Amino acid sequence: MAPNRRTAVARAGTNIALVKYWGKRDDKLNLPRTGSLSLTLAGLETVTSVSVDPGLQHDHFELDGHIERGVPLGRVGRFLAIVRERAGAAGQFSRVVSRNSFPTAAGLASSASGFAALACAASAAYGLDLSPEQLSALARRGSGSAARSIFGGFVEMDPGVLPEGDDAVAHELVPPAGWNLRLVVAVTTEAAKDVSSSTGMAATEETSPLYEAWVASHGIDLEEARLAVVGRDLQVLGAVMERNCLGMHACMMAARPPLLYWNEATLAALREVWNLRARGVPVWFTIDAGPHVKALCRVEEAAAVKTALDKVPGVARTIVAAPGDGVRLESVG
Ligand code: 2P0
């Protein structure tokens, strides 16, 4: 039985996929169709506290100072129900307080850091002792990309083959200190996106005639990217990340109705990355299910890339992020 009135606090960095996850082999268990490869970031974090409170009649969820209801609360409540079931703590609800250091739901993968931090804090609060792999599988139930934020640095997510998905977990490829690159995030709007990733990927899988072709080419992308990360080959990694990202967005654009997460500044920033490269700066971009452009480069070029992206019309601000650590339990008691 889980202890009463236990509080745990966890911190997780978001991650950006360099080889993307887009589409599921099982909706209920949140099992991805493909593997993915990501970089966990320092400084773009969620800190979450989970307090088990026997006085509560249902879960409470506060995000960035707002009391959440409806869809966000439902998602957190369903996740906590999974943890409670494993802990034998049915009916013991929690108060969840979460804070992001970056805009929520705008394509900066807040669900990745959010569910990684929640998985860690909730499992500790309900008295579960999970290995990093088990934590990764648990975080995946909240959000596919969250499974990767359990680990730091360069991370690979395995789609797994088991029906229950116990092998659909992430693992570290290269630790944060192992390859000191920078990701320059060009924020092109502070607004939340209209179509969630879950909805967008389901629509893409169901209606885009390009989707299966992207899945078919994905295995080679993942293998080349993995080798490039292990071999610290930025040129190869950059080429793979751009083609894999553009392939994913092509699938979305070909969905019916079309799904376009980009705005004018997205395209302008993308072209600026190509301009920089044409001038000899080794930098490559990726774009997630949102309008922001994320440019990967060496530390030496990060300032020049930031300056160039800051000047792109429509870019609101830029954030330079270093490789970051995996999820961390800050306190429990
Ligand atoms: C990724 N994205 O690999 C891809 C690329 C966005 C574009 O994972 O449905 O919020 O909760 O598993 O994890 C965003 O999707 O989706 C995402 P669910 P999630 O990072």
Side-chain angles (χ1 to χ4, degrees), residues 5 9 15 45 63 66 77 81 85 87-88 91 94 119 121 138-139 146 164 166 213 223 242 269 293 295:
R5 291 195 179 279
V9 180
N15 72 77
E45 295 177 330
L63 176 61
H66 298 107
E85 192 186 327
S94 280
L138 175 63
E164 291 303 310
D166 293 343
E223 193 175 328
E242 282 195 3
V293 173

mmCIF file of all heavy atoms in Angstrom, residues 5 9 15 45 63 66 77 81 85 87-88 91 94 119 121 138-139 146 164 166 213 223 242 269 293 295:
data_model
loop_
_atom_site.group_PDB
_atom_site.id
_atom_site.type_symbol
_atom_site.label_atom_id
_atom_site.label_comp_id
_atom_site.label_asym_id
_atom_site.label_seq_id
_atom_site.Cartn_x
_atom_site.Cartn_y
_atom_site.Cartn_z
ATOM 1 N N ARG A 5 0.085 10.833 2.129
ATOM 2 C CA ARG A 5 0.657 12.171 2.166
ATOM 3 C C ARG A 5 2.137 12.197 1.818
ATOM 4 O O ARG A 5 2.953 12.790 2.529
ATOM 5 C CB ARG A 5 0.452 12.800 3.555
ATOM 6 C CG ARG A 5 -0.978 13.122 3.864
ATOM 7 C CD ARG A 5 -1.087 14.042 5.046
ATOM 8 N NE ARG A 5 -2.481 14.360 5.312
ATOM 9 C CZ ARG A 5 -3.168 15.288 4.631
ATOM 10 N NH1 ARG A 5 -2.588 15.980 3.692
ATOM 11 N NH2 ARG A 5 -4.434 15.508 4.900
ATOM 12 N N VAL A 9 9.316 15.363 -5.832
ATOM 13 C CA VAL A 9 9.569 16.405 -6.829
ATOM 14 C C VAL A 9 10.621 15.892 -7.812
ATOM 15 O O VAL A 9 11.647 15.341 -7.394
ATOM 16 C CB VAL A 9 10.084 17.709 -6.166
ATOM 17 C CG1 VAL A 9 10.338 18.786 -7.220
ATOM 18 C CG2 VAL A 9 9.101 18.204 -5.115
ATOM 19 N N ASN A 15 13.343 17.123 -24.842
ATOM 20 C CA ASN A 15 14.278 16.587 -25.838
ATOM 21 C C ASN A 15 13.746 16.924 -27.216
ATOM 22 O O ASN A 15 12.541 17.120 -27.405
ATOM 23 C CB ASN A 15 14.470 15.084 -25.657
ATOM 24 C CG ASN A 15 13.262 14.284 -26.070
ATOM 25 O OD1 ASN A 15 13.010 14.077 -27.259
ATOM 26 N ND2 ASN A 15 12.485 13.815 -25.084
ATOM 27 N N GLU A 45 13.141 22.960 -19.177
ATOM 28 C CA GLU A 45 12.807 21.904 -18.218
ATOM 29 C C GLU A 45 11.389 22.015 -17.674
ATOM 30 O O GLU A 45 10.781 23.088 -17.704
ATOM 31 C CB GLU A 45 13.735 22.025 -17.006
ATOM 32 C CG GLU A 45 15.179 21.774 -17.316
ATOM 33 C CD GLU A 45 16.047 21.985 -16.083
ATOM 34 O OE1 GLU A 45 15.702 22.815 -15.213
ATOM 35 O OE2 GLU A 45 17.088 21.307 -16.004
ATOM 36 N N LEU A 63 -0.606 23.846 -13.798
ATOM 37 C CA LEU A 63 0.515 24.001 -14.729
ATOM 38 C C LEU A 63 0.824 25.478 -14.897
ATOM 39 O O LEU A 63 -0.054 26.265 -15.293
ATOM 40 C CB LEU A 63 0.153 23.370 -16.090
ATOM 41 C CG LEU A 63 1.182 23.523 -17.205
ATOM 42 C CD1 LEU A 63 2.507 22.867 -16.829
ATOM 43 C CD2 LEU A 63 0.653 22.916 -18.505
ATOM 44 N N HIS A 66 -1.689 27.878 -13.434
ATOM 45 C CA HIS A 66 -3.107 27.775 -13.793
ATOM 46 C C HIS A 66 -3.661 26.418 -13.353
ATOM 47 O O HIS A 66 -3.031 25.388 -13.580
ATOM 48 C CB HIS A 66 -3.317 27.894 -15.317
ATOM 49 C CG HIS A 66 -2.874 29.211 -15.868
ATOM 50 N ND1 HIS A 66 -1.729 29.341 -16.617
ATOM 51 C CD2 HIS A 66 -3.413 30.441 -15.753
ATOM 52 C CE1 HIS A 66 -1.576 30.616 -16.940
ATOM 53 N NE2 HIS A 66 -2.583 31.307 -16.429
ATOM 54 N N GLY A 77 -4.611 12.592 -15.113
ATOM 55 C CA GLY A 77 -5.353 11.650 -14.275
ATOM 56 C C GLY A 77 -5.243 10.218 -14.791
ATOM 57 O O GLY A 77 -5.068 9.281 -14.003
ATOM 58 N N ALA A 81 -3.503 7.106 -12.832
ATOM 59 C CA ALA A 81 -4.255 5.864 -12.583
ATOM 60 C C ALA A 81 -3.381 4.642 -12.892
ATOM 61 O O ALA A 81 -3.471 3.619 -12.200
ATOM 62 C CB ALA A 81 -5.531 5.856 -13.415
ATOM 63 N N GLU A 85 -2.434 1.953 -10.063
ATOM 64 C CA GLU A 85 -2.742 0.532 -10.227
ATOM 65 C C GLU A 85 -1.509 -0.316 -9.890
ATOM 66 O O GLU A 85 -1.602 -1.310 -9.182
ATOM 67 C CB GLU A 85 -3.204 0.272 -11.666
ATOM 68 C CG GLU A 85 -3.820 -1.098 -11.841
ATOM 69 C CD GLU A 85 -4.139 -1.393 -13.294
ATOM 70 O OE1 GLU A 85 -4.471 -0.455 -14.027
ATOM 71 O OE2 GLU A 85 -4.014 -2.573 -13.676
ATOM 72 N N ALA A 87 0.926 0.541 -7.983
ATOM 73 C CA ALA A 87 1.315 0.720 -6.577
ATOM 74 C C ALA A 87 0.269 0.160 -5.623
ATOM 75 O O ALA A 87 0.488 0.172 -4.408
ATOM 76 C CB ALA A 87 1.543 2.207 -6.302
ATOM 77 N N GLY A 88 -0.846 -0.323 -6.151
ATOM 78 C CA GLY A 88 -1.927 -0.786 -5.269
ATOM 79 C C GLY A 88 -2.501 0.352 -4.456
ATOM 80 O O GLY A 88 -2.755 0.212 -3.257
ATOM 81 N N GLY A 91 -7.744 4.937 -5.605
ATOM 82 C CA GLY A 91 -8.527 5.896 -4.834
ATOM 83 C C GLY A 91 -7.692 6.925 -4.077
ATOM 84 O O GLY A 91 -8.242 7.824 -3.458
ATOM 85 N N SER A 94 -3.982 12.669 -6.128
ATOM 86 C CA SER A 94 -2.795 13.511 -5.947
ATOM 87 C C SER A 94 -3.032 14.940 -6.386
ATOM 88 O O SER A 94 -3.877 15.224 -7.231
ATOM 89 C CB SER A 94 -1.636 12.971 -6.794
ATOM 90 O OG SER A 94 -1.030 11.911 -6.159
ATOM 91 N N ALA A 119 6.345 11.038 -14.457
ATOM 92 C CA ALA A 119 6.584 9.604 -14.233
ATOM 93 C C ALA A 119 7.523 9.409 -13.053
ATOM 94 O O ALA A 119 7.289 8.551 -12.178
ATOM 95 C CB ALA A 119 7.169 8.958 -15.492
ATOM 96 N N ALA A 121 8.315 11.655 -10.560
ATOM 97 C CA ALA A 121 7.765 12.139 -9.284
ATOM 98 C C ALA A 121 6.621 11.251 -8.804
ATOM 99 O O ALA A 121 6.548 10.909 -7.616
ATOM 100 C CB ALA A 121 7.292 13.586 -9.438
ATOM 101 N N LEU A 138 7.157 3.675 -18.543
ATOM 102 C CA LEU A 138 6.032 4.342 -17.867
ATOM 103 C C LEU A 138 5.804 5.735 -18.473
ATOM 104 O O LEU A 138 4.665 6.098 -18.799
ATOM 105 C CB LEU A 138 6.317 4.448 -16.367
ATOM 106 C CG LEU A 138 5.288 5.227 -15.546
ATOM 107 C CD1 LEU A 138 3.914 4.548 -15.593
ATOM 108 C CD2 LEU A 138 5.763 5.370 -14.091
ATOM 109 N N ALA A 139 6.873 6.505 -18.642
ATOM 110 C CA ALA A 139 6.754 7.864 -19.208
ATOM 111 C C ALA A 139 6.125 7.804 -20.593
ATOM 112 O O ALA A 139 5.341 8.674 -20.984
ATOM 113 C CB ALA A 139 8.121 8.537 -19.258
ATOM 114 N N ALA A 146 8.277 11.401 -24.181
ATOM 115 C CA ALA A 146 8.713 11.491 -22.787
ATOM 116 C C ALA A 146 9.625 10.324 -22.401
ATOM 117 O O ALA A 146 10.482 10.478 -21.524
ATOM 118 C CB ALA A 146 7.501 11.525 -21.856
ATOM 119 N N GLU A 164 2.837 -5.844 -25.330
ATOM 120 C CA GLU A 164 2.579 -4.969 -24.173
ATOM 121 C C GLU A 164 3.549 -3.793 -24.110
ATOM 122 O O GLU A 164 3.408 -2.904 -23.273
ATOM 123 C CB GLU A 164 2.644 -5.773 -22.861
ATOM 124 C CG GLU A 164 1.506 -6.765 -22.691
ATOM 125 C CD GLU A 164 0.134 -6.089 -22.759
ATOM 126 O OE1 GLU A 164 -0.076 -5.098 -22.061
ATOM 127 O OE2 GLU A 164 -0.706 -6.566 -23.547
ATOM 128 N N ASP A 166 6.818 -3.605 -23.239
ATOM 129 C CA ASP A 166 7.843 -3.480 -22.198
ATOM 130 C C ASP A 166 9.223 -3.178 -22.787
ATOM 131 O O ASP A 166 10.113 -2.697 -22.088
ATOM 132 C CB ASP A 166 7.929 -4.772 -21.361
ATOM 133 C CG ASP A 166 6.661 -4.988 -20.547
ATOM 134 O OD1 ASP A 166 5.903 -4.012 -20.395
ATOM 135 O OD2 ASP A 166 6.431 -6.116 -20.086
ATOM 136 N N ALA A 213 5.659 5.435 -46.932
ATOM 137 C CA ALA A 213 6.974 5.619 -47.567
ATOM 138 C C ALA A 213 7.965 6.208 -46.567
ATOM 139 O O ALA A 213 9.145 5.833 -46.539
ATOM 140 C CB ALA A 213 6.840 6.531 -48.791
ATOM 141 N N GLU A 223 19.513 4.287 -38.459
ATOM 142 C CA GLU A 223 20.813 3.609 -38.393
ATOM 143 C C GLU A 223 21.950 4.577 -38.716
ATOM 144 O O GLU A 223 22.974 4.612 -38.018
ATOM 145 C CB GLU A 223 20.803 2.430 -39.372
ATOM 146 C CG GLU A 223 21.954 1.498 -39.145
ATOM 147 C CD GLU A 223 21.859 0.274 -40.032
ATOM 148 O OE1 GLU A 223 20.733 -0.155 -40.342
ATOM 149 O OE2 GLU A 223 22.928 -0.221 -40.437
ATOM 150 N N GLU A 242 17.779 16.580 -41.305
ATOM 151 C CA GLU A 242 16.970 17.434 -42.195
ATOM 152 C C GLU A 242 16.054 16.594 -43.076
ATOM 153 O O GLU A 242 14.871 16.890 -43.233
ATOM 154 C CB GLU A 242 17.868 18.335 -43.046
ATOM 155 C CG GLU A 242 18.396 19.524 -42.259
ATOM 156 C CD GLU A 242 18.978 20.635 -43.116
ATOM 157 O OE1 GLU A 242 18.938 20.536 -44.375
ATOM 158 O OE2 GLU A 242 19.482 21.607 -42.522
ATOM 159 N N ALA A 269 13.335 30.970 -41.421
ATOM 160 C CA ALA A 269 14.427 30.481 -40.568
ATOM 161 C C ALA A 269 15.098 29.259 -41.193
ATOM 162 O O ALA A 269 16.329 29.122 -41.161
ATOM 163 C CB ALA A 269 13.906 30.153 -39.174
ATOM 164 N N VAL A 293 12.006 26.530 -35.338
ATOM 165 C CA VAL A 293 13.111 25.891 -36.062
ATOM 166 C C VAL A 293 14.248 25.676 -35.071
ATOM 167 O O VAL A 293 14.593 26.583 -34.304
ATOM 168 C CB VAL A 293 13.565 26.774 -37.241
ATOM 169 C CG1 VAL A 293 14.813 26.197 -37.898
ATOM 170 C CG2 VAL A 293 12.439 26.880 -38.267
ATOM 171 N N ALA A 295 18.176 24.572 -34.729
ATOM 172 C CA ALA A 295 19.386 24.432 -35.538
ATOM 173 C C ALA A 295 20.492 23.808 -34.705
ATOM 174 O O ALA A 295 20.792 24.276 -33.603
ATOM 175 C CB ALA A 295 19.809 25.804 -36.048
#
